[in-house]
mmCIF file of all heavy atoms in Angstrom:
data_model
loop_
_atom_site.group_PDB
_atom_site.id
_atom_site.type_symbol
_atom_site.label_atom_id
_atom_site.label_comp_id
_atom_site.label_asym_id
_atom_site.label_seq_id
_atom_site.Cartn_x
_atom_site.Cartn_y
_atom_site.Cartn_z
ATOM 1 N N GLY A 86 -11.524 10.616 2.896
ATOM 2 C CA GLY A 86 -10.538 10.369 1.840
ATOM 3 C C GLY A 86 -9.090 10.537 2.277
ATOM 4 O O GLY A 86 -8.186 10.460 1.406
ATOM 5 N N LYS A 87 -8.867 10.607 3.568
ATOM 6 C CA LYS A 87 -7.516 10.844 4.112
ATOM 7 C C LYS A 87 -6.934 9.603 4.797
ATOM 8 O O LYS A 87 -6.002 9.695 5.572
ATOM 9 C CB LYS A 87 -7.443 12.048 4.965
ATOM 10 C CG LYS A 87 -7.781 13.358 4.292
ATOM 11 C CD LYS A 87 -7.718 14.541 5.214
ATOM 12 C CE LYS A 87 -8.068 15.823 4.504
ATOM 13 N NZ LYS A 87 -8.030 17.034 5.393
ATOM 14 N N PHE A 88 -7.561 8.430 4.565
ATOM 15 C CA PHE A 88 -7.076 7.200 5.154
ATOM 16 C C PHE A 88 -5.692 6.876 4.612
ATOM 17 O O PHE A 88 -5.486 6.829 3.389
ATOM 18 C CB PHE A 88 -8.078 6.042 4.815
ATOM 19 C CG PHE A 88 -7.615 4.725 5.298
ATOM 20 C CD1 PHE A 88 -7.321 4.476 6.615
ATOM 21 C CD2 PHE A 88 -7.488 3.672 4.401
ATOM 22 C CE1 PHE A 88 -6.912 3.238 7.070
ATOM 23 C CE2 PHE A 88 -7.154 2.399 4.836
ATOM 24 C CZ PHE A 88 -6.832 2.179 6.146
ATOM 25 N N GLU A 89 -4.708 6.643 5.486
ATOM 26 C CA GLU A 89 -3.354 6.454 5.054
ATOM 27 C C GLU A 89 -2.899 5.038 5.152
ATOM 28 O O GLU A 89 -1.737 4.726 4.923
ATOM 29 C CB GLU A 89 -2.409 7.354 5.871
ATOM 30 C CG GLU A 89 -2.627 8.843 5.693
ATOM 31 C CD GLU A 89 -1.639 9.702 6.483
ATOM 32 O OE1 GLU A 89 -1.024 9.165 7.412
ATOM 33 O OE2 GLU A 89 -1.613 10.899 6.160
ATOM 34 N N GLY A 90 -3.813 4.106 5.472
ATOM 35 C CA GLY A 90 -3.426 2.692 5.599
ATOM 36 C C GLY A 90 -3.731 1.864 4.360
ATOM 37 O O GLY A 90 -3.638 0.627 4.390
ATOM 38 N N THR A 91 -4.061 2.511 3.256
ATOM 39 C CA THR A 91 -4.369 1.785 2.011
ATOM 40 C C THR A 91 -3.137 1.039 1.441
ATOM 41 O O THR A 91 -2.038 1.600 1.480
ATOM 42 C CB THR A 91 -4.818 2.790 0.935
ATOM 43 O OG1 THR A 91 -5.861 3.613 1.462
ATOM 44 C CG2 THR A 91 -5.263 2.071 -0.309
ATOM 45 N N ALA A 92 -3.345 -0.198 1.052
ATOM 46 C CA ALA A 92 -2.273 -0.943 0.424
ATOM 47 C C ALA A 92 -2.003 -0.408 -0.992
ATOM 48 O O ALA A 92 -2.845 0.202 -1.614
ATOM 49 C CB ALA A 92 -2.658 -2.379 0.338
ATOM 50 N N HIS A 93 -0.764 -0.643 -1.462
ATOM 51 C CA HIS A 93 -0.455 -0.256 -2.882
ATOM 52 C C HIS A 93 -1.345 -1.049 -3.816
ATOM 53 O O HIS A 93 -1.792 -0.499 -4.799
ATOM 54 C CB HIS A 93 0.992 -0.603 -3.195
ATOM 55 C CG HIS A 93 1.981 0.328 -2.544
ATOM 56 N ND1 HIS A 93 2.442 0.170 -1.220
ATOM 57 C CD2 HIS A 93 2.640 1.431 -3.000
ATOM 58 C CE1 HIS A 93 3.303 1.106 -0.937
ATOM 59 N NE2 HIS A 93 3.449 1.906 -2.001
ATOM 60 N N PHE A 94 -1.580 -2.288 -3.477
ATOM 61 C CA PHE A 94 -2.384 -3.178 -4.360
ATOM 62 C C PHE A 94 -3.375 -3.971 -3.546
ATOM 63 O O PHE A 94 -3.136 -4.232 -2.322
ATOM 64 C CB PHE A 94 -1.467 -4.190 -5.127
ATOM 65 C CG PHE A 94 -0.384 -3.544 -5.922
ATOM 66 C CD1 PHE A 94 0.869 -3.317 -5.346
ATOM 67 C CD2 PHE A 94 -0.579 -3.184 -7.250
ATOM 68 C CE1 PHE A 94 1.922 -2.764 -6.106
ATOM 69 C CE2 PHE A 94 0.445 -2.593 -7.977
ATOM 70 C CZ PHE A 94 1.647 -2.386 -7.402
ATOM 71 N N SER A 95 -4.474 -4.410 -4.159
ATOM 72 C CA SER A 95 -5.317 -5.408 -3.546
ATOM 73 C C SER A 95 -5.604 -6.466 -4.634
ATOM 74 O O SER A 95 -5.489 -6.177 -5.828
ATOM 75 C CB SER A 95 -6.622 -4.792 -3.049
ATOM 76 O OG SER A 95 -7.371 -4.169 -4.089
ATOM 77 N N ILE A 96 -5.947 -7.659 -4.153
ATOM 78 C CA ILE A 96 -6.243 -8.757 -5.036
ATOM 79 C C ILE A 96 -7.544 -9.403 -4.594
ATOM 80 O O ILE A 96 -7.636 -9.868 -3.480
ATOM 81 C CB ILE A 96 -5.096 -9.807 -5.105
ATOM 82 C CG1 ILE A 96 -3.791 -9.180 -5.448
ATOM 83 C CG2 ILE A 96 -5.445 -10.935 -6.086
ATOM 84 C CD1 ILE A 96 -2.563 -10.128 -5.445
ATOM 85 N N ASP A 97 -8.567 -9.420 -5.483
ATOM 86 C CA ASP A 97 -9.845 -10.003 -5.059
ATOM 87 C C ASP A 97 -9.770 -11.485 -5.190
ATOM 88 O O ASP A 97 -8.783 -12.099 -5.613
ATOM 89 C CB ASP A 97 -11.004 -9.389 -5.832
ATOM 90 C CG ASP A 97 -11.058 -9.747 -7.286
ATOM 91 O OD1 ASP A 97 -10.420 -10.709 -7.684
ATOM 92 O OD2 ASP A 97 -11.714 -9.007 -8.083
ATOM 93 N N LYS A 98 -10.867 -12.183 -4.734
ATOM 94 C CA LYS A 98 -10.851 -13.648 -4.736
ATOM 95 C C LYS A 98 -10.877 -14.285 -6.084
ATOM 96 O O LYS A 98 -10.587 -15.486 -6.202
ATOM 97 C CB LYS A 98 -11.996 -14.101 -3.848
ATOM 98 C CG LYS A 98 -11.794 -13.809 -2.387
ATOM 99 C CD LYS A 98 -12.549 -14.742 -1.444
ATOM 100 C CE LYS A 98 -12.133 -14.517 0.007
ATOM 101 N NZ LYS A 98 -12.704 -15.520 0.919
ATOM 102 N N THR A 99 -11.179 -13.520 -7.138
ATOM 103 C CA THR A 99 -11.116 -14.083 -8.472
ATOM 104 C C THR A 99 -9.674 -13.992 -9.053
ATOM 105 O O THR A 99 -9.388 -14.572 -10.069
ATOM 106 C CB THR A 99 -12.045 -13.330 -9.454
ATOM 107 O OG1 THR A 99 -11.543 -12.009 -9.683
ATOM 108 C CG2 THR A 99 -13.439 -13.268 -8.885
ATOM 109 N N GLY A 100 -8.824 -13.270 -8.295
ATOM 110 C CA GLY A 100 -7.416 -13.103 -8.777
ATOM 111 C C GLY A 100 -7.172 -11.746 -9.475
ATOM 112 O O GLY A 100 -6.025 -11.547 -9.914
ATOM 113 N N LYS A 101 -8.138 -10.877 -9.522
ATOM 114 C CA LYS A 101 -7.921 -9.619 -10.185
ATOM 115 C C LYS A 101 -7.153 -8.683 -9.300
ATOM 116 O O LYS A 101 -7.417 -8.562 -8.097
ATOM 117 C CB LYS A 101 -9.261 -8.968 -10.542
ATOM 118 C CG LYS A 101 -9.180 -7.749 -11.456
ATOM 119 C CD LYS A 101 -10.527 -7.278 -11.918
ATOM 120 C CE LYS A 101 -10.379 -6.149 -12.918
ATOM 121 N NZ LYS A 101 -11.734 -5.719 -13.456
ATOM 122 N N ILE A 102 -6.161 -8.041 -9.894
ATOM 123 C CA ILE A 102 -5.254 -7.109 -9.187
ATOM 124 C C ILE A 102 -5.690 -5.679 -9.397
ATOM 125 O O ILE A 102 -5.942 -5.247 -10.497
ATOM 126 C CB ILE A 102 -3.795 -7.317 -9.648
ATOM 127 C CG1 ILE A 102 -3.373 -8.755 -9.470
ATOM 128 C CG2 ILE A 102 -2.834 -6.347 -8.880
ATOM 129 C CD1 ILE A 102 -2.002 -9.052 -10.141
ATOM 130 N N TYR A 103 -5.712 -4.889 -8.300
ATOM 131 C CA TYR A 103 -6.024 -3.489 -8.368
ATOM 132 C C TYR A 103 -4.877 -2.663 -7.763
ATOM 133 O O TYR A 103 -4.331 -3.071 -6.727
ATOM 134 C CB TYR A 103 -7.299 -3.155 -7.575
ATOM 135 C CG TYR A 103 -8.532 -3.976 -7.981
ATOM 136 C CD1 TYR A 103 -8.767 -5.263 -7.390
ATOM 137 C CD2 TYR A 103 -9.407 -3.498 -8.977
ATOM 138 C CE1 TYR A 103 -9.854 -6.005 -7.768
ATOM 139 C CE2 TYR A 103 -10.488 -4.295 -9.352
ATOM 140 C CZ TYR A 103 -10.738 -5.512 -8.761
ATOM 141 O OH TYR A 103 -11.823 -6.245 -9.127
ATOM 142 N N GLN A 104 -4.575 -1.552 -8.392
ATOM 143 C CA GLN A 104 -3.505 -0.664 -7.842
ATOM 144 C C GLN A 104 -4.182 0.587 -7.296
ATOM 145 O O GLN A 104 -4.920 1.257 -7.960
ATOM 146 C CB GLN A 104 -2.530 -0.293 -8.933
ATOM 147 C CG GLN A 104 -1.388 0.578 -8.445
ATOM 148 C CD GLN A 104 -0.269 0.757 -9.441
ATOM 149 O OE1 GLN A 104 -0.323 0.267 -10.553
ATOM 150 N NE2 GLN A 104 0.727 1.540 -9.064
ATOM 151 N N HIS A 105 -3.803 0.913 -6.001
ATOM 152 C CA HIS A 105 -4.374 2.032 -5.322
ATOM 153 C C HIS A 105 -3.451 3.222 -5.173
ATOM 154 O O HIS A 105 -3.872 4.376 -5.073
ATOM 155 C CB HIS A 105 -4.898 1.616 -3.944
ATOM 156 C CG HIS A 105 -5.881 0.484 -3.962
ATOM 157 N ND1 HIS A 105 -7.206 0.649 -4.223
ATOM 158 C CD2 HIS A 105 -5.677 -0.854 -3.742
ATOM 159 C CE1 HIS A 105 -7.836 -0.530 -4.170
ATOM 160 N NE2 HIS A 105 -6.929 -1.430 -3.893
ATOM 161 N N LEU A 106 -2.182 2.915 -5.119
ATOM 162 C CA LEU A 106 -1.159 3.958 -4.889
ATOM 163 C C LEU A 106 -0.056 3.887 -5.941
ATOM 164 O O LEU A 106 0.193 2.797 -6.519
ATOM 165 C CB LEU A 106 -0.475 3.736 -3.512
ATOM 166 C CG LEU A 106 -1.403 3.751 -2.270
ATOM 167 C CD1 LEU A 106 -0.536 3.479 -1.051
ATOM 168 C CD2 LEU A 106 -2.101 5.064 -2.109
ATOM 169 N N PRO A 107 0.644 4.959 -6.230
ATOM 170 C CA PRO A 107 1.779 4.955 -7.146
ATOM 171 C C PRO A 107 2.838 4.014 -6.596
ATOM 172 O O PRO A 107 2.943 3.775 -5.370
ATOM 173 C CB PRO A 107 2.280 6.415 -7.117
ATOM 174 C CG PRO A 107 1.077 7.236 -6.722
ATOM 175 C CD PRO A 107 0.350 6.342 -5.713
ATOM 176 N N TYR A 108 3.692 3.517 -7.479
ATOM 177 C CA TYR A 108 4.754 2.553 -7.085
ATOM 178 C C TYR A 108 5.621 3.186 -5.981
ATOM 179 O O TYR A 108 5.894 2.606 -4.938
ATOM 180 C CB TYR A 108 5.607 2.138 -8.260
ATOM 181 C CG TYR A 108 4.875 1.263 -9.210
ATOM 182 C CD1 TYR A 108 4.403 1.710 -10.456
ATOM 183 C CD2 TYR A 108 4.608 -0.077 -8.893
ATOM 184 C CE1 TYR A 108 3.742 0.875 -11.317
ATOM 185 C CE2 TYR A 108 3.945 -0.935 -9.756
ATOM 186 C CZ TYR A 108 3.513 -0.442 -10.970
ATOM 187 O OH TYR A 108 2.820 -1.276 -11.824
ATOM 188 N N LEU A 109 6.185 4.360 -6.219
ATOM 189 C CA LEU A 109 7.132 4.977 -5.340
ATOM 190 C C LEU A 109 6.447 5.892 -4.335
ATOM 191 O O LEU A 109 6.681 7.095 -4.235
ATOM 192 C CB LEU A 109 8.200 5.744 -6.141
ATOM 193 C CG LEU A 109 9.014 4.832 -7.121
ATOM 194 C CD1 LEU A 109 10.054 5.655 -7.863
ATOM 195 C CD2 LEU A 109 9.696 3.689 -6.317
ATOM 196 N N SER A 110 5.550 5.299 -3.570
ATOM 197 C CA SER A 110 4.836 6.020 -2.500
ATOM 198 C C SER A 110 4.924 5.231 -1.243
ATOM 199 O O SER A 110 5.254 4.027 -1.210
ATOM 200 C CB SER A 110 3.368 6.243 -2.934
ATOM 201 O OG SER A 110 2.693 5.016 -3.070
ATOM 202 N N THR A 111 4.551 5.864 -0.133
ATOM 203 C CA THR A 111 4.546 5.194 1.180
ATOM 204 C C THR A 111 3.189 5.375 1.808
ATOM 205 O O THR A 111 2.388 6.264 1.447
ATOM 206 C CB THR A 111 5.678 5.711 2.082
ATOM 207 O OG1 THR A 111 5.723 4.907 3.268
ATOM 208 C CG2 THR A 111 5.370 7.155 2.480
ATOM 209 N N ASN A 112 2.841 4.464 2.770
ATOM 210 C CA ASN A 112 1.581 4.544 3.456
ATOM 211 C C ASN A 112 1.802 4.194 4.930
ATOM 212 O O ASN A 112 2.961 4.269 5.396
ATOM 213 C CB ASN A 112 0.549 3.562 2.833
ATOM 214 C CG ASN A 112 1.094 2.182 2.691
ATOM 215 O OD1 ASN A 112 2.086 1.796 3.398
ATOM 216 N ND2 ASN A 112 0.496 1.352 1.852
ATOM 217 N N ARG A 113 0.764 3.899 5.615
ATOM 218 C CA ARG A 113 0.908 3.503 7.064
ATOM 219 C C ARG A 113 0.347 2.127 7.273
ATOM 220 O O ARG A 113 -0.549 1.879 8.121
ATOM 221 C CB ARG A 113 0.236 4.598 7.897
ATOM 222 C CG ARG A 113 0.826 5.969 7.805
ATOM 223 C CD ARG A 113 0.099 6.991 8.632
ATOM 224 N NE ARG A 113 0.125 6.710 10.057
ATOM 225 C CZ ARG A 113 -0.476 7.455 10.937
ATOM 226 N NH1 ARG A 113 -1.127 8.536 10.598
ATOM 227 N NH2 ARG A 113 -0.409 7.154 12.244
ATOM 228 N N PHE A 114 0.788 1.166 6.543
ATOM 229 C CA PHE A 114 0.296 -0.214 6.610
ATOM 230 C C PHE A 114 0.739 -0.891 7.896
ATOM 231 O O PHE A 114 0.005 -1.681 8.477
ATOM 232 C CB PHE A 114 0.841 -0.950 5.375
ATOM 233 C CG PHE A 114 0.055 -2.194 5.012
ATOM 234 C CD1 PHE A 114 -1.193 -2.091 4.452
ATOM 235 C CD2 PHE A 114 0.636 -3.445 5.138
ATOM 236 C CE1 PHE A 114 -1.904 -3.195 4.114
ATOM 237 C CE2 PHE A 114 -0.079 -4.602 4.770
ATOM 238 C CZ PHE A 114 -1.338 -4.457 4.230
ATOM 239 N N ILE A 115 1.988 -0.615 8.307
ATOM 240 C CA ILE A 115 2.528 -1.232 9.519
ATOM 241 C C ILE A 115 2.532 -0.211 10.698
ATOM 242 O O ILE A 115 2.611 -0.543 11.821
ATOM 243 C CB ILE A 115 3.986 -1.696 9.268
ATOM 244 C CG1 ILE A 115 3.976 -2.856 8.246
ATOM 245 C CG2 ILE A 115 4.660 -2.206 10.546
ATOM 246 C CD1 ILE A 115 3.311 -4.146 8.734
ATOM 247 N N GLU A 116 2.461 1.059 10.351
ATOM 248 C CA GLU A 116 2.537 2.155 11.361
ATOM 249 C C GLU A 116 3.968 2.293 11.891
ATOM 250 O O GLU A 116 4.192 2.669 13.019
ATOM 251 C CB GLU A 116 1.560 1.939 12.505
ATOM 252 C CG GLU A 116 0.120 1.974 12.081
ATOM 253 C CD GLU A 116 -0.438 3.328 11.781
ATOM 254 O OE1 GLU A 116 0.300 4.347 12.021
ATOM 255 O OE2 GLU A 116 -1.603 3.470 11.311
ATOM 256 N N ASP A 117 4.938 1.962 11.036
ATOM 257 C CA ASP A 117 6.358 2.226 11.372
ATOM 258 C C ASP A 117 6.940 2.909 10.128
ATOM 259 O O ASP A 117 6.979 2.296 9.041
ATOM 260 C CB ASP A 117 7.087 0.891 11.647
ATOM 261 C CG ASP A 117 8.552 1.127 11.948
ATOM 262 O OD1 ASP A 117 9.308 1.463 11.017
ATOM 263 O OD2 ASP A 117 8.951 0.865 13.125
ATOM 264 N N PHE A 118 7.367 4.178 10.257
ATOM 265 C CA PHE A 118 7.760 4.945 9.090
ATOM 266 C C PHE A 118 8.832 4.248 8.269
ATOM 267 O O PHE A 118 8.685 4.127 7.015
ATOM 268 C CB PHE A 118 8.245 6.299 9.496
ATOM 269 C CG PHE A 118 8.778 7.084 8.293
ATOM 270 C CD1 PHE A 118 7.895 7.700 7.414
ATOM 271 C CD2 PHE A 118 10.108 7.182 8.057
ATOM 272 C CE1 PHE A 118 8.369 8.379 6.288
ATOM 273 C CE2 PHE A 118 10.620 7.849 6.945
ATOM 274 C CZ PHE A 118 9.699 8.474 6.087
ATOM 275 N N LYS A 119 9.900 3.741 8.900
ATOM 276 C CA LYS A 119 10.984 3.155 8.118
ATOM 277 C C LYS A 119 10.529 1.922 7.325
ATOM 278 O O LYS A 119 10.840 1.787 6.158
ATOM 279 C CB LYS A 119 12.159 2.780 9.046
ATOM 280 C CG LYS A 119 13.338 2.173 8.315
ATOM 281 C CD LYS A 119 14.448 1.777 9.307
ATOM 282 C CE LYS A 119 15.588 1.121 8.550
ATOM 283 N NZ LYS A 119 16.701 0.751 9.480
ATOM 284 N N ILE A 120 9.768 1.049 8.014
ATOM 285 C CA ILE A 120 9.308 -0.168 7.354
ATOM 286 C C ILE A 120 8.338 0.155 6.260
ATOM 287 O O ILE A 120 8.451 -0.365 5.110
ATOM 288 C CB ILE A 120 8.678 -1.127 8.364
ATOM 289 C CG1 ILE A 120 9.713 -1.599 9.390
ATOM 290 C CG2 ILE A 120 8.021 -2.291 7.660
ATOM 291 C CD1 ILE A 120 9.069 -2.345 10.580
ATOM 292 N N ASP A 121 7.377 1.032 6.526
ATOM 293 C CA ASP A 121 6.398 1.390 5.505
ATOM 294 C C ASP A 121 7.035 2.068 4.325
ATOM 295 O O ASP A 121 6.657 1.846 3.181
ATOM 296 C CB ASP A 121 5.340 2.335 6.101
ATOM 297 C CG ASP A 121 4.356 1.593 7.013
ATOM 298 O OD1 ASP A 121 4.096 0.423 6.786
ATOM 299 O OD2 ASP A 121 3.873 2.193 7.994
ATOM 300 N N ASP A 122 8.021 2.911 4.531
ATOM 301 C CA ASP A 122 8.684 3.655 3.459
ATOM 302 C C ASP A 122 9.448 2.721 2.541
ATOM 303 O O ASP A 122 9.573 2.984 1.339
ATOM 304 C CB ASP A 122 9.609 4.709 4.073
ATOM 305 C CG ASP A 122 10.017 5.755 3.057
ATOM 306 O OD1 ASP A 122 9.069 6.355 2.403
ATOM 307 O OD2 ASP A 122 11.215 6.045 2.882
ATOM 308 N N GLN A 123 9.915 1.622 3.058
ATOM 309 C CA GLN A 123 10.751 0.694 2.273
ATOM 310 C C GLN A 123 9.920 -0.437 1.648
ATOM 311 O O GLN A 123 10.483 -1.320 1.036
ATOM 312 C CB GLN A 123 11.813 0.098 3.152
ATOM 313 C CG GLN A 123 12.825 1.067 3.678
ATOM 314 C CD GLN A 123 13.814 0.433 4.654
ATOM 315 O OE1 GLN A 123 13.594 -0.635 5.227
ATOM 316 N NE2 GLN A 123 14.944 1.112 4.881
ATOM 317 N N SER A 124 8.604 -0.381 1.775
ATOM 318 C CA SER A 124 7.774 -1.558 1.420
ATOM 319 C C SER A 124 6.724 -1.238 0.384
ATOM 320 O O SER A 124 6.152 -0.179 0.312
ATOM 321 C CB SER A 124 7.092 -2.089 2.695
ATOM 322 O OG SER A 124 8.017 -2.362 3.691
ATOM 323 N N PHE A 125 6.490 -2.282 -0.449
ATOM 324 C CA PHE A 125 5.261 -2.401 -1.228
ATOM 325 C C PHE A 125 4.275 -3.188 -0.364
ATOM 326 O O PHE A 125 4.654 -4.096 0.348
ATOM 327 C CB PHE A 125 5.459 -3.126 -2.543
ATOM 328 C CG PHE A 125 6.189 -2.343 -3.615
ATOM 329 C CD1 PHE A 125 7.462 -2.710 -3.964
ATOM 330 C CD2 PHE A 125 5.599 -1.218 -4.164
ATOM 331 C CE1 PHE A 125 8.139 -1.988 -4.935
ATOM 332 C CE2 PHE A 125 6.284 -0.515 -5.116
ATOM 333 C CZ PHE A 125 7.529 -0.866 -5.522
ATOM 334 N N THR A 126 2.962 -2.794 -0.442
ATOM 335 C CA THR A 126 2.009 -3.533 0.368
ATOM 336 C C THR A 126 0.910 -4.080 -0.513
ATOM 337 O O THR A 126 0.430 -3.424 -1.428
ATOM 338 C CB THR A 126 1.384 -2.569 1.451
ATOM 339 O OG1 THR A 126 0.927 -1.382 0.790
ATOM 340 C CG2 THR A 126 2.462 -2.202 2.474
#
């Protein structure tokens, strides 16, 4: 449960949107702190 590469949102093939993280949060999607901190994923 400590995976840090989770996107803020995912969208399945039917078009349904899921939110995984709070809006004002950061993750390790790119593995660059500055870029990840400034980004929604």
Side-chain angles (χ1 to χ4, degrees):
K87 296 180 180 179
F88 176 57
E89 296 182 346
T91 308
H93 288 83
F94 305 91
S95 61
I96 305 177
D97 69 20
K98 291 206 171 187
T99 70
K101 190 171 184 179
I102 302 170
Y103 304 89
Q104 184 171 358
H105 304 280
L106 302 176
Y108 290 106
L109 300 181
S110 64
T111 188
N112 53 19
R113 296 177 63 181
F114 201 70
I115 295 292
E116 298 285 353
D117 179 290
F118 174 77
K119 181 181 178 181
I120 296 172
D121 286 328
D122 197 51
Q123 295 175 342
S124 304
F125 286 112
T126 52

